[in-house]
Amino acid sequence: SRKINDDWSLGYRQRIWHYKSQGWGYNTDVSFNREIDQGKILSVSSEVRYQQDRRLTEFSQTIALHNALKQFETLSYELGVLGVSKPNVRISDYYVGAQYRRAIRDQWLFLEVIPQLVVSRDESWRPQPKLIINLEMQFSDI
């Protein structure tokens, strides 16, 4: 994270990933962050995600409040809009959710639990509950 001024900082993250169901891809995330209280950070984030197997680009815009519970443990609340590049560029989903993230092995293995309520174009805009569980390994921090 780089300081922009006394209140805001700029974050950038690049991830390469592989999921059995989706194949290879990458995420590029740019965020503007502001500490609003001790251990509470407001984040406005834009993300682009490319899935190689589907040749699909997804994009998102989110607003989140991150709460530091302990060192390497956070609870976040998010509101977001998602879009896709196929069959044409359009908004595909709106969502509200929470994210619990915790280091389970030192600072390289993380567990994320993400319950969400998603309103999707594919589901005729009916709200659908969703639960995502991620296990993330970090090899380096640049």
Side-chain angles (χ1 to χ4, degrees):
S1 210
R2 293 187 182 260
K3 277 285 216 197
I4 297 174
N5 59 33
D6 289 340
D7 297 322
W8 291 92
S9 63
L10 174 67
Y12 174 81
R13 184 167 80 162
Q14 181 73 48
R15 294 188 320 176
I16 298 172
W17 48 263
H18 181 268
Y19 291 108
K20 185 176 181 181
S21 62
Q22 298 176 4
W24 292 97
Y26 67 85
N27 292 31
T28 302
D29 186 6
V30 176
S31 62
F32 293 92
N33 307 293
R34 180 182 178 144
E35 187 171 11
I36 57 173
D37 198 6
Q38 183 68 26
K40 293 184 191 256
I41 296 173
L42 176 66
S43 179
V44 179
S45 177
S46 297
E47 183 175 3
V48 174
R49 174 183 172 126
Y50 178 72
Q51 294 180 33
Q52 190 246 351
D53 285 358
R54 295 171 60 196
R55 300 200 193 311
L56 176 69
T57 301
E58 299 173 303
F59 52 91
S60 69
Q61 183 68 49
T62 61
I63 297 173
L65 177 62
H66 305 287
N67 298 293
L69 303 175
K70 297 179 192 170
Q71 188 175 18
F72 306 112
E73 184 177 17
T74 59
L75 179 61
S76 303
Y77 304 97
E78 296 181 338
L79 179 63
V81 60
L82 307 172
V84 292
S85 63
K86 287 183 179 180
N88 56 354
V89 176
R90 65 182 186 190
I91 292 176
S92 59
D93 304 277
Y94 298 93
Y95 75 93
V96 61
Q99 178 187 46
Y100 175 74
R101 179 179 169 88
R102 178 180 159 201
I104 56 176
R105 284 283 185 253
D106 299 319
Q107 298 169 30
W108 64 271
L109 185 61
F110 292 84
L111 172 68
E112 291 180 334
V113 179
I114 308 166
Q116 294 177 332
L117 186 61
V118 179
V119 179
S120 175
R121 178 183 300 272
D122 291 343
E123 296 294 330
S124 301
W125 303 111
R126 287 181 309 219
Q128 301 288 320
K130 185 176 183 181
L131 178 63
I132 301 167
I133 298 174
N134 289 325
L135 194 58
E136 179 181 322
M137 290 186 291
Q138 292 189 357
F139 295 104
S140 67
D141 189 12
I142 300 173

